[in-house]
Amino acid sequence: MEAIASIKPETAHAVDAAPALAPAPTYINGSHALMKALLAEGVDTIFGYPGGAIMPVYDALYDYQDQINHILVRHEQGAGHAAQGYARVTGRAGICLVTSGPGATNLVTAIADALIDSTPLVCIVGQVGKKLLGTDAFQEADVMGVTMPITKWNYQITDADEVPEILSKAFYIAQSGRPGPVLIDMTKSAQLELMTKPYVYQRCQSLVSYRPRRIPKQEQVETAASLINSAKRPYIFAGHGVQIAKAEAELIEFAEKTGIPVATTLLGQSTISTNHPLYVGWLGMHGNYGPNVMTDQADVIIAIGMRFDDRVTGDASKYIKQAKVIHIEIDPSEIDKIIRADAPVVGDAKEVLKALLPLVKPNDHTVWRNEFRKYDAIENETITVPELTSLDGKIRMAEVIDMLSKKTKGEAILVTDVGQHQMMASRYYQFRKPNSLVTSGGMGTMGFALPAAFGAQVGAPDRQVVAIIGDGCFQMTLQELGTIVQNKQPVKAIILNNNFLGMVRQWQQLFHERRYSFVELQNPDFITIARGFGMDGQTCDQRDNLSDALDTLLAHEGPFLLEVIVEKEENVFPMVPAGASVSQIRLK
Amino acid sequence: MTTYTICIFTENTIGLLNRITIIFTRRRINIESLTVSETERKGVSRFTIVIKHESREEVEKLVRQIRKIVEVMAVFGYLNDEIVYNEIALFKISTPLGSKSLDVETINKEYKAWVVYWGLDYVVIEKTGNDTEIFEFFGYLKKYEILEFVRSGRVAVGKTEKGLVEYLPESEWAYYL
């Protein structure tokens, strides 16, 4: 009673002080604040799946349908991969909106995939009400705990007032520095309750504790430049970071001025056109012969926006021991992580290359560059030509990709799944335009391609998107055919069907004495399935029909599924056996 | 094995302890001790984590991974001779009637330890010092019945002219002091 009495005079004073007819302030709820924040960040597309704990947000979304295109996927994993495909081709964060518990946990694979491949995602996940947190409530999962190690940042919103600030932080963190996924776990109570203050949105520009270095330190650039200028056999490794920084033009200018050969990582492919005279191929386990072997000959390696993944280095203890390493990387934790850098340069690839360009001397390493070509000849003779010209037996994966490459003039966006077909696509597609390969590199997620191709098509409506998918991979996310059809996206999907989990089978053949342990698939009729979803398709199992089948696929107006029955026991070579040094690369 | 003391300055937010310790777990590095408290700057916490490791290179990698966490402002790794450090240990010693009487003078003067609580038939002795000093004292007290023994994590300051917070990114800090 006493407390109430003591409050009374103040309350009375406040009422007296207010203008007599002032309208009561109307503050928006957390869900509407979220919509406004998304619009402020320029979001036009959301990949999502509604459910109980995210329903207030979906209710708000109903009012914003004309400004935000929501795409209803068939499984939350599909939302994640579609958002990845969208982010990879646009360079902007992909947005996922899912419910609590299973909705969120279904998203986990895509989040982990996005982290390791540096893909910006903003995942907004519903959560049970604040009062129910930690009570094992219906569809409650500790999503913060689950995603902590696989997000760049995550945060739980329990109060509607937090929405503008947290969303602006989320977008800033996801899209700046080394991009990555962030997750916002939003309680249902925060979605429903009204903000207690007017909604104000300020885009985040910097944070006290997070300050990615874009502009390199001049002394680091100078050290790198002097190493480059004195090198006899310099060699550029271009990674995904070059494309993230949109530094393709600077890379080419730098390579052309210095005459240095360029190899790419798997995710770095398409950074430079494959017919550029300085492009020598790609590195790694199933990369080209020359680029791998020549790592042992180089005296200076200029690694740009790549992280020396074990699929690139093979046995890291034997990797490029003879060379000085210049490591250009925006994430300082990558420096010296796998390979010790003699000259680290921390910064955005574009900024570093711009700073390096005036300091490097023009050069022409003709003799050195020609050495790569000798190995190309060996690879051509041993692998490429036989794979493309064997006219007996079943169709080979290489033929399909090679023909697709020619028919699309190397200008399509290729989205691949994971396995033999992924390596074949990388080997045989002749990329002509930057940012044209979307694949799951670091995580190696089967089931990635179909939803990612859909997302890529949404992000790049003017480009032709072709998904290359294995028969095993397809069956992991094939329900997204429904999403593609419903949204009328002209995605072209090619299943290279060998009725095997091909890459596992290859390893079993080579390293486990042909003990084919559970790798043979009894596949459904993929075309009937596609038709069931309302998508056209056809099967091709004769070499003579392949060209026509690809023409039909590419010319088809809407989405199309082409199943190509390929050689059952084909292997991908060259190959660096796991744990071996790259110089031990096998041609057969 | 070398002992490293890792000082981490962070924003004071929920769940950060988890985010930091996951990095040790992933790298299979055992945490010997861990203390956290807010610093003289409001909203800035300081973690002091002690680990033992054979390879300085691996510790440097660990430090870089911790630095990568968005809320982490700065991380410093130290060897023992670069810091002044201490722990607090509490010993609960049984002192029923007729038991061996405590030599409080030796405890005070020789071991710089203090009786901080007198129970009916036990006492609690506090000893501050590094782990060697604490275990020396433990050895001395063994002749009594030790009912409980607990020691805190390490706290440490660097032997540098400036305070570590001076190395944090510039900002409008609210100071406690």
Side-chain angles (χ1 to χ4, degrees):
Chain A
M1 288 306 285
E2 205 177 279
I4 291 168
S6 72
I7 288 168
K8 261 186 176 171
E10 282 176 40
T11 317
H13 177 74
V15 170
D16 290 343
L21 290 171
T26 51
Y27 295 142
I28 58 174
N29 73 11
S31 301
H32 278 86
L34 177 68
M35 288 301 125
K36 282 175 170 286
L38 293 175
L39 285 174
E41 289 291 341
V43 170
D44 53 16
T45 307
I46 293 177
F47 302 92
Y49 204 104
I54 196 72
M55 232 173 311
V57 172
Y58 269 87
D59 186 62
L61 188 58
Y62 195 78
D63 295 335
Y64 289 84
Q65 289 178 69
D66 53 339
Q67 295 169 77
I68 297 177
N69 176 26
H70 177 273
I71 288 160
L72 175 65
V73 294
R74 297 300 182 267
H75 184 283
E76 288 86 352
Q77 187 185 354
H81 293 322
Q84 284 181 278
Y86 178 88
R88 291 270 284 270
V89 300
T90 61
R92 291 158 49 205
I95 317 295
C96 305
L97 183 63
V98 302
T99 192
S100 64
T105 54
N106 282 346
L107 200 58
V108 163
T109 304
I111 296 174
D113 193 295
L115 182 73
I116 201 159
D117 284 350
S118 312
T119 309
L121 292 188
V122 174
C123 303
I124 298 151
V125 174
Q127 182 55 281
V128 300
K130 191 175 179 179
K131 284 185 183 159
L132 290 172
L133 282 173
T135 64
D136 299 328
F138 177 65
Q139 291 195 329
E140 185 193 9
D142 176 14
V143 175
M144 291 294 288
V146 168
T147 59
M148 210 167 261
I150 54 164
T151 48
K152 189 172 172 189
W153 184 66
N154 66 2
Y155 190 89
Q156 186 172 60
I157 296 180
T158 51
D159 183 345
D161 285 336
E162 294 175 291
V163 171
E165 189 195 333
I166 295 305
L167 261 288
S168 65
K169 261 178 98 167
F171 275 88
Y172 176 65
I173 292 167
Q175 296 178 142
S176 62
R178 180 178 178 178
V182 303
L183 181 133
I184 305 298
D185 193 32
M186 194 169 175
T187 57
K188 195 167 182 178
S189 41
Q191 299 167 39
L192 284 168
E193 74 190 20
L194 295 179
M195 292 178 72
T196 62
K197 50 190 179 190
Y199 168 87
V200 179
Y201 194 82
Q202 251 186 327
R203 282 187 88 160
C204 182
Q205 304 291 341
S206 68
L207 292 168
V208 169
S209 56
Y210 167 71
R211 306 184 158 213
R213 175 181 285 284
R214 291 191 71 243
I215 312 293
K217 286 186 180 164
Q218 188 58 23
E219 62 263 31
Q220 290 189 336
V221 176
E222 282 167 14
T223 310
S226 72
L227 261 180
I228 293 164
N229 288 335
S230 61
K232 298 275 178 286
R233 295 179 305 281
Y235 189 6
I236 295 170
F237 293 177
H240 189 201
V242 177
Q243 300 190 66
I244 293 171
K246 298 189 171 58
E248 293 93 345
E250 286 78 5
L251 173 74
I252 291 169
E253 198 183 341
F254 173 77
E256 285 174 351
K257 183 175 179 188
T258 53
I260 304 176
V262 182
T264 64
T265 62
L266 174 67
L267 288 190
Q269 286 217 68
S270 83
T271 304
I272 176 167
S273 172
T274 50
N275 64 357
H276 192 285
L278 287 167
Y279 177 70
V280 293
W282 60 294
L283 299 156
M285 183 174 271
H286 291 288
N288 295 112
Y289 188 43
N292 276 307
V293 174
M294 294 300 276
T295 56
D296 284 351
Q297 311 291 321
D299 64 348
V300 171
I301 302 276
I302 306 147
I304 312 173
M306 56 88 72
R307 58 189 180 85
F308 294 106
D309 179 74
D310 57 278
R311 284 295 194 262
V312 163
T313 63
D315 182 353
S317 66
K318 294 177 187 145
Y319 192 64
I320 50 174
K321 287 290 158 207
Q322 81 295 343
K324 297 269 184 211
V325 176
I326 299 166
H327 197 172
I328 298 168
E329 175 54 62
I330 199 159
D331 179 358
S333 67
E334 288 299 338
I335 308 278
D336 291 346
K337 191 180 85 176
I338 308 291
I339 299 297
R340 187 162 272 285
D342 299 279
V345 188
V346 178
D348 176 82
K350 194 182 186 85
E351 298 298 335
V352 175
L353 287 169
K354 276 205 280 193
L356 268 175
L357 262 165
L359 302 181
V360 291
K361 292 180 187 151
N363 213 326
D364 185 356
H365 295 282
T366 319
V367 179
W368 160 239
R369 273 157 51 192
N370 285 342
E371 284 183 43
F372 284 82
R373 303 304 171 200
K374 289 183 217 159
Y375 291 97
D376 288 352
I378 298 171
E379 184 178 336
N380 258 328
E381 189 187 329
T382 325
I383 304 168
T384 313
V385 174
E387 279 186 341
L388 293 177
T389 55
S390 66
L391 294 172
D392 54 338
K394 286 262 169 61
I395 301 170
R396 286 165 167 264
M397 288 184 253
E399 292 174 72
V400 183
I401 306 295
D402 180 60
M403 202 178 277
L404 175 75
S405 181
K406 286 173 180 146
K407 286 184 188 293
T408 55
K409 301 188 177 68
E411 290 180 352
I413 293 177
L414 212 61
V415 184
T416 83
D417 233 303
V418 173
Q420 286 186 317
H421 64 280
Q422 176 189 31
M423 296 301 131
M424 286 298 191
S426 293
R427 275 184 59 72
Y428 288 98
Y429 198 80
Q430 303 296 317
F431 295 98
R432 292 288 178 267
K433 283 190 169 178
N435 209 6
S436 295
L437 176 67
V438 178
T439 190
S440 168
M443 188 59 60
T445 304
M446 287 174 68
F448 174 84
L450 190 68
F454 168 71
Q457 187 74 77
V458 173
D462 300 331
R463 291 190 66 184
Q464 179 135 52
V465 175
V466 183
I468 308 291
I469 312 177
D471 47 315
C473 294
F474 186 70
Q475 291 176 78
M476 287 202 176
T477 51
L478 66 80
Q479 71 280 4
E480 299 307 331
L481 288 171
T483 313
I484 294 171
V485 171
Q486 185 172 352
N487 289 280
K488 300 183 179 63
Q489 291 294 328
V491 173
K492 313 297 182 217
I494 302 175
I495 298 177
L496 298 179
N497 183 0
N498 56 11
N499 283 89
F500 264 128
L501 301 176
M503 191 59 97
V504 184
R505 188 211 52 75
Q506 175 171 340
W507 281 52
Q508 288 174 342
Q509 179 189 338
L510 298 176
F511 310 117
H512 295 272
E513 297 154 348
R514 277 186 185 270
R515 287 154 58 89
Y516 289 171
S517 183
F518 304 101
V519 284
E520 189 153 16
L521 293 164
Q522 183 183 331
N523 284 329
D525 180 342
F526 292 125
I527 304 305
T528 302
I529 288 176
R531 293 213 173 106
F533 278 100
M535 189 194 280
D536 274 343
Q538 72 174 69
T539 301
C540 171
D541 61 356
Q542 295 298 318
R543 180 169 283 108
D544 294 342
N545 301 337
L546 181 62
S547 178
D548 286 347
L550 283 172
D551 285 339
T552 308
L553 170 91
L554 295 171
H556 195 84
E557 232 174 71
F560 196 88
L561 179 71
L562 173 65
E563 177 194 21
V564 184
I565 309 295
V566 295
E567 182 68 46
K568 233 173 132 56
E569 295 191 43
E570 197 179 348
N571 288 337
V572 188
F573 284 108
M575 178 181 192
V576 181
S581 112
V582 286
S583 57
Q584 292 168 290
I585 188 165
R586 291 171 59 167
L587 284 168
K588 51 188 173 183
Chain B
M1 290 288 236
T2 310
T3 302
Y4 293 89
T5 303
I6 298 168
C7 295
I8 308 169
F9 289 86
T10 72
E11 287 184 51
N12 187 359
T13 53
I14 291 174
L16 200 52
L17 174 66
N18 208 351
R19 217 172 237 284
I20 290 169
T21 53
I22 282 170
I23 293 173
F24 290 79
T25 312
R26 273 188 77 188
R27 296 187 159 252
R28 310 279 309 152
I29 294 174
N30 188 41
I31 291 175
E32 302 283 323
S33 86
L34 185 156
T35 55
V36 195
S37 63
E38 203 164 35
T39 64
E40 66 269 35
R41 286 181 182 181
K42 204 168 185 179
V44 179
S45 290
R46 177 177 180 147
F47 288 66
T48 307
I49 300 180
V50 181
I51 57 164
K52 288 192 169 123
H53 210 281
E54 285 157 353
S55 155
R56 185 185 173 110
E57 207 182 327
E58 287 303 311
V59 177
E60 283 172 6
K61 286 180 193 175
L62 172 87
V63 164
R64 271 197 291 270
Q65 289 295 329
I66 299 169
R67 235 174 236 160
K68 201 169 158 172
I69 299 170
V70 166
E71 289 93 343
V72 168
M73 295 172 173
V75 189
F76 305 90
Y78 289 108
L79 295 168
N80 279 352
D81 59 359
E82 295 166 333
I83 48 172
V84 177
Y85 59 97
N86 264 333
E87 294 171 358
I88 296 173
L90 294 177
F91 298 82
K92 189 165 145 187
I93 308 292
S94 171
T95 55
L97 279 175
S99 65
K100 191 177 165 74
S101 61
L102 278 177
D103 180 358
V104 176
E105 199 177 333
T106 304
I107 291 171
N108 289 166
K109 288 194 173 155
E110 215 168 294
Y111 291 100
K112 304 274 187 293
W114 318 102
V115 176
V116 290
Y117 186 84
W118 297 90
L120 204 56
D121 49 7
Y122 68 90
V123 294
V124 178
I125 304 171
E126 177 192 304
K127 162 77 188 149
T128 304
N130 62 36
D131 49 354
T132 317
E133 290 164 342
I134 285 169
F135 280 108
E136 257 175 37
F137 187 53
F138 188 101
Y140 166 76
L141 286 181
K142 260 188 185 167
K143 57 189 167 194
Y144 306 102
E145 191 186 350
I146 301 174
L147 296 172
E148 270 188 69
F149 163 64
V150 61
R151 60 190 183 115
S152 71
R154 176 183 284 193
V155 288
V157 288
K159 290 177 185 170
T160 48
E161 298 290 312
K162 286 200 282 183
L164 280 183
V165 285
E166 300 299 325
Y167 294 97
L168 298 186
E170 285 169 29
S171 183
E172 293 298 316
W173 299 105
Y175 286 86
Y176 281 128
L177 302 171

